[in-house]
Amino acid sequence: MGKPGALLIGNLTHTKKEWQAISDIAGLYEYADGSREDFLAKCRNGEFKNLHTLYRSNDSNKITGNFNEELLDALPKSLKYVCHNGAGYDNIDIPACTKRGISVSSTPIAVDDATADIAVFLMLGALRNVTQSFQAVRQGNWRGNFQLGHDPKKKVLGILGMGGIGSAVATRAKAFGMKVQYHNRRQLPAEKEDGAKYVSFEELLKTSDVLSLNLTLNASTRHIIGKPEFEKMKDGVIVINTGRGPLIDEAALVDALKSRKVWTAGLDVFEEEPNIHPGLLEDENTVLLPHIGTATFETQRDMELLVLDNLKSSINDGKLITQVPEQKRDTAAVRASL
Amino acid sequence: MARPKALLLGLIEHAHESWNALSSIAELVTPQARNRAEFIEECRSGRLNGVVAIYRTFDSLEITGRFDEELVKVLPASVKFVCHNGAGYDQVDVPVCSGRGIKVSNTPNAVNDCTADVNMFLILGALRRFNPPMNTLRNGKWRGNPLPPLGHDPEGKTLGIVGMGGIGKNLKKKAEAFSMKIIYHNRNKLSEDLAGGANYVGFEELLRTSDVISLNLPLNTHTRHKISTRELEMMKPGVVLVNTARGAIIDEAALVQALDSGHVASVGLDVYEEEPKVHPGLINNPNVILLPHMGTWTSETQKAMEECNILNVKTALETGALRNMVPEQVGL
């Protein structure tokens, strides 16, 4: 039997050499570009013989479409590992993978700093209401219709989903003199809290001056922030989203901005990227970036390397380094039931 | 004996109560003049005789122009204190004031957090190259085509702070939360305690070895155009430069050249050589991040600055000693 197959879907920008080096332990396949139909056809035609592990990304999703039941069924039965480049993996049907004995990894940790940095940039920009100023200067109007902003100092930052990224945001926010509180499904151990206060979801909404969304998108968190949640928030709250667009009901956010219930919003993600609700674009009280949370040389390289490390580990050790938490729990549940 | 007068040049926007409360110890006056010529005339007319303390704002420059030799000479003989609302007091000629026995104060500390916040915001914006995608998004083009260049992470980069005083030290703490390495240059090396672990280096070494350079020093005759062609050439290719201090510290035309050549990858600016005019080379450069001198413009900080300046006036009138006297006048 030959070497196991490793498939690269999409492109590598920073680690082409490292990918080529994997030919020592695996037969390399590449699907750099194409379409979902073409990819499915190639899978079904037995193009990727002996396929054991593959590299995909949030970027390559536009080539293949979501990793749902249809696509998973088309992939060779020999495939055991999907190594995903991205901290968010809502475009992979994890239960469907688990059912088929396919283990999935993502890229936590490598994304934490860069995503937290953009969250803080958006938060400072929203606190200082900068969009009006950016536009005024460029148009030769100096300060334009200037309004005073707010200091982060002594304000309460509420983090919804304090995982790796949320913790990194908390560390930075504390340096700006903010008080940090958070809500997770379960309270963290004290060492991981680093002084942040655990509160209920309700309390987080009611008492935060700035709300930062840092949780994963899945079926139960879609529109976790909608009209009823905005109504519970403080008047003049600032909302920051660097998680996933569909966490927020975008139309409800537009309404809340119009009424100034939400004073300003800082967003890197949108419900239907790359389309943005026109109400957000028309509003100068928003600071908007086009989903570039991890768009740095250093972080992109680190993320690619982490996926390749998962890939190598799946070949050499029969396990992943950063397997998605849902599957780790499933494994424990399965073991417990045996 | 008549009560002393306190002259308000410019506006109080937040701390009305505290200002009005001064009427228990002083007669509060405002000028009738609306421009420099009228102000000089008003001083000569004797209308402002008896003014002991002057509260002035940055924007009151529009009424009086700079507190230079011509103006300070005609101030009433009773004037003993000029209390400037702001950390940067380059609008006031301190040696000329000293010559007349007039003490000058500013409002340090009150500005530190706010200015450092904008400073860190500009560092992130410039390093991460946020300006182009921010614009393409607003123009309906999402990330743009071709895609914008990737930015850089602050983590592990060297931040060189030129003038690590109150604002610079405040910036250091914030930049360290982003895992930046801090080096600094001051006229005099700080004690280990005050430096908080930052490495002291010579000015040229700072220019040569910093990935990001932040200007946090005051503007005066020694620091004008401290960053010009020669200094820009010494910097690392791809350097990011941020200025929240005073525009005239940088030779703006030289900066535009260095940006156009690509030697300086990006800048973040809150201040400009000839505010509110901004060099067209900056306006036309999509890679830079520009703000209109709003370093201290939050409700909280503006109020705190006014309260600080009012207290400077109050203490001077009550005790004859001036709080927050500018460092040049220590010993006056």
Side-chain angles (χ1 to χ4, degrees):
Chain A
M1 198 175 79
K3 279 187 279 194
L7 166 65
L8 167 63
I9 305 175
N11 283 313
L12 292 172
T13 312
H14 308 274
T15 51
K16 288 189 173 48
K17 258 186 12 210
E18 286 83 349
W19 161 249
Q20 290 304 327
I22 294 177
S23 59
D24 288 348
I25 55 170
L28 303 186
Y29 297 107
E30 292 184 16
Y31 190 82
D33 202 357
S35 68
R36 185 178 173 87
E37 305 91 82
D38 183 62
F39 180 70
L40 292 176
K42 287 197 156 67
C43 287
R44 289 171 183 142
N45 288 342
E47 189 112 345
F48 309 117
K49 289 192 194 4
N50 216 15
L51 186 62
H52 175 73
T53 185
L54 67 81
Y55 180 127
R56 74 173 307 271
S57 61
N58 280 327
D59 273 345
S60 78
N61 205 63
K62 59 167 129 27
I63 307 170
T64 62
N66 287 0
F67 266 48
N68 55 12
E69 305 250 12
E70 179 192 34
L71 191 141
L72 293 169
D73 280 340
L75 287 165
K77 296 280 173 287
S78 54
L79 180 81
K80 290 272 156 285
Y81 299 95
V82 169
C83 303
H84 173 76
N85 185 344
Y89 43 90
D90 42 283
N91 44 36
I92 303 176
D93 184 341
I94 302 293
C97 289
T98 311
K99 220 170 53 185
R100 290 162 177 75
I102 296 173
S103 299
V104 182
S105 64
S106 65
T107 53
I109 305 161
V111 305
D112 293 352
D113 282 337
T115 314
D117 293 346
I118 204 175
V120 173
F121 176 85
L122 289 170
M123 181 176 72
L124 292 173
L127 277 164
R128 301 297 289 262
N129 205 354
V130 287
T131 296
Q132 191 283 142
S133 298
F134 279 148
Q135 299 184 332
V137 176
R138 294 275 177 177
Q139 288 158 18
N141 290 334
W142 190 233
R143 285 188 184 134
N145 243 347
F146 190 86
Q147 272 187 335
L148 290 176
H150 290 287
D151 289 329
K153 196 156 106 171
K154 297 196 189 129
K155 303 294 188 304
V156 175
L157 170 65
I159 296 178
L160 185 60
M162 200 160 87
I165 297 171
S167 300
V169 173
T171 305
R172 287 150 177 75
K174 277 183 269 190
F176 289 86
M178 301 187 85
K179 289 198 287 242
V180 180
Q181 58 185 20
Y182 75 102
H183 179 72
N184 284 5
R185 278 162 304 183
R186 270 177 301 278
Q187 182 166 5
L188 294 170
E191 332 77 80
K192 289 223 165 116
E193 280 184 331
D194 200 24
K197 181 173 165 216
Y198 181 71
V199 295
S200 67
F201 182 46
E202 191 96 356
E203 169 114 4
L204 192 86
L205 296 176
K206 288 203 165 94
T207 62
S208 299
D209 299 307
V210 181
L211 179 69
S212 173
L213 303 186
N214 296 107
L215 67 169
T216 350
L217 175 67
N218 54 45
S220 57
T221 62
R222 191 176 184 282
H223 279 198
I224 194 167
I225 302 294
K227 186 161 182 290
E229 287 70 35
F230 285 120
E231 278 168 6
K232 294 187 183 141
M233 294 182 198
K234 281 178 112 169
D235 290 344
V237 70
I238 290 168
V239 174
I240 307 299
N241 189 6
T242 54
R244 280 290 182 269
L247 291 168
I248 301 182
D249 176 342
E250 205 154 294
L253 173 61
V254 170
D255 287 340
L257 280 161
K258 275 212 191 83
S259 72
R260 277 341 260 294
K261 172 72 177 186
V262 171
W263 193 65
T264 50
L267 310 171
D268 186 41
V269 288
F270 306 86
E271 236 189 298
E272 296 178 26
E273 294 170 20
N275 296 319
I276 299 176
H277 194 300
L280 291 176
L281 289 170
E282 286 154 11
D283 196 327
E284 275 190 334
N285 299 317
T286 55
V287 187
L288 309 175
L289 287 168
H291 201 163
I292 47 175
T294 57
T296 69
F297 285 98
E298 300 87 353
T299 294
Q300 287 290 302
R301 183 175 153 77
D302 284 347
M303 288 168 74
E304 287 185 7
L305 283 174
L306 180 55
V307 183
L308 292 178
D309 282 346
N310 271 289
L311 205 82
K312 285 188 285 186
S313 172
S314 74
I315 298 167
N316 289 329
D317 304 322
K319 64 181 205 286
L320 296 168
I321 300 171
T322 48
Q323 189 174 16
V324 297
E326 294 90 319
Q327 287 191 328
K328 291 208 283 244
R329 278 199 301 279
D330 274 347
T331 314
V334 166
R335 275 208 212 101
S337 73
L338 288 176
Chain B
M1 197 177 81
R3 276 186 314 162
K5 289 182 183 160
L7 174 65
L8 174 61
L9 294 176
L11 297 173
I12 303 256
E13 313 232 38
H14 305 273
H16 303 285
E17 229 181 272
S18 298
W19 175 254
N20 291 332
L22 287 182
S23 57
S24 63
I25 59 165
E27 186 187 336
L28 306 180
V29 301
T30 50
Q32 282 173 348
R34 286 150 311 163
N35 59 49
R36 184 177 171 90
E38 289 179 11
F39 183 73
I40 290 175
E41 185 45 46
E42 193 168 353
C43 289
R44 289 203 176 112
S45 77
R47 185 181 169 270
L48 300 175
N49 287 356
V51 168
V52 173
I54 299 176
Y55 176 123
R56 72 173 302 276
T57 67
F58 183 90
D59 285 341
S60 73
L61 193 79
E62 277 171 31
I63 308 169
T64 65
R66 288 193 78 243
F67 263 52
D68 56 11
E69 188 160 4
E70 182 190 27
L71 191 125
V72 171
K73 233 176 32 186
V74 306
L75 290 175
S78 51
V79 172
K80 291 267 160 291
F81 307 104
V82 170
C83 301
H84 172 77
N85 183 2
Y89 47 92
D90 44 284
Q91 295 172 336
V92 178
D93 189 329
V94 173
V96 158
C97 290
S98 300
R100 256 205 57 175
I102 294 175
K103 293 183 181 159
V104 181
S105 65
N106 65 342
T107 56
N109 300 333
V111 307
N112 292 350
D113 273 309
C114 203
T115 312
D117 292 346
V118 168
N119 202 320
M120 196 64 225
F121 176 79
L122 290 171
I123 290 174
L124 290 170
L127 256 181
R128 289 289 298 257
R129 311 285 194 271
F130 283 151
N131 205 64
M134 209 161 34
N135 286 334
T136 52
L137 182 152
R138 289 266 171 193
N139 291 330
K141 300 199 177 81
W142 190 237
R143 289 178 189 149
N145 190 2
L147 288 176
L150 291 173
H152 288 279
D153 290 325
E155 287 72 17
K157 304 293 188 300
T158 299
L159 169 62
I161 298 179
V162 183
M164 198 162 83
I167 298 169
K169 284 197 219 77
N170 193 298
L171 174 67
K172 168 183 175 290
K173 285 211 185 78
K174 285 158 182 170
E176 281 171 343
F178 296 85
S179 304
M180 298 190 85
K181 265 182 44 198
I182 316 297
I183 63 177
Y184 76 101
H185 178 73
N186 286 5
R187 277 163 308 175
N188 300 302
K189 185 175 173 184
L190 295 173
S191 67
E192 290 297 308
D193 221 33
L194 287 176
N199 252 354
Y200 180 75
V201 295
F203 183 51
E204 294 202 0
E205 177 165 351
L206 185 143
L207 295 177
R208 285 188 214 283
T209 62
S210 300
D211 300 305
V212 179
I213 296 175
S214 175
L215 303 181
N216 295 103
L217 67 170
L219 174 65
N220 53 48
T221 46
H222 306 293
T223 63
R224 189 172 190 284
H225 280 198
K226 190 169 175 74
I227 304 291
S228 188
T229 307
R230 187 178 156 268
E231 291 71 30
L232 290 161
E233 275 169 7
M234 281 192 245
M235 297 179 191
K236 276 174 134 174
V239 71
V240 164
L241 181 57
V242 173
N243 189 7
T244 57
R246 283 289 182 269
I249 295 171
I250 302 180
D251 176 343
E252 206 156 293
L255 175 62
V256 168
Q257 280 193 329
L259 280 163
D260 288 345
S261 77
H263 185 86
V264 172
S266 183
V267 294
L269 303 175
D270 188 41
V271 288
Y272 309 85
E273 236 191 293
E274 297 179 28
E275 291 171 24
K277 259 174 35 192
V278 178
H279 195 297
L282 292 171
I283 303 266
N284 294 329
N285 188 326
N287 298 318
V288 303
I289 185 154
L290 309 175
L291 288 173
H293 200 163
M294 46 187 278
T296 60
W297 281 58
T298 65
S299 326
E300 300 90 349
T301 293
Q302 286 293 301
K303 180 164 202 290
M305 286 168 70
E306 288 187 355
E307 297 283 4
C308 175
N309 208 37
I310 290 167
L311 191 58
N312 288 345
V313 169
K314 180 170 193 278
T315 319
L317 291 174
E318 285 179 334
T319 70
L322 184 60
R323 269 175 98 234
N324 296 142
M325 195 165 70
V326 298
E328 296 92 307
Q329 290 189 325
V330 166
L332 191 70

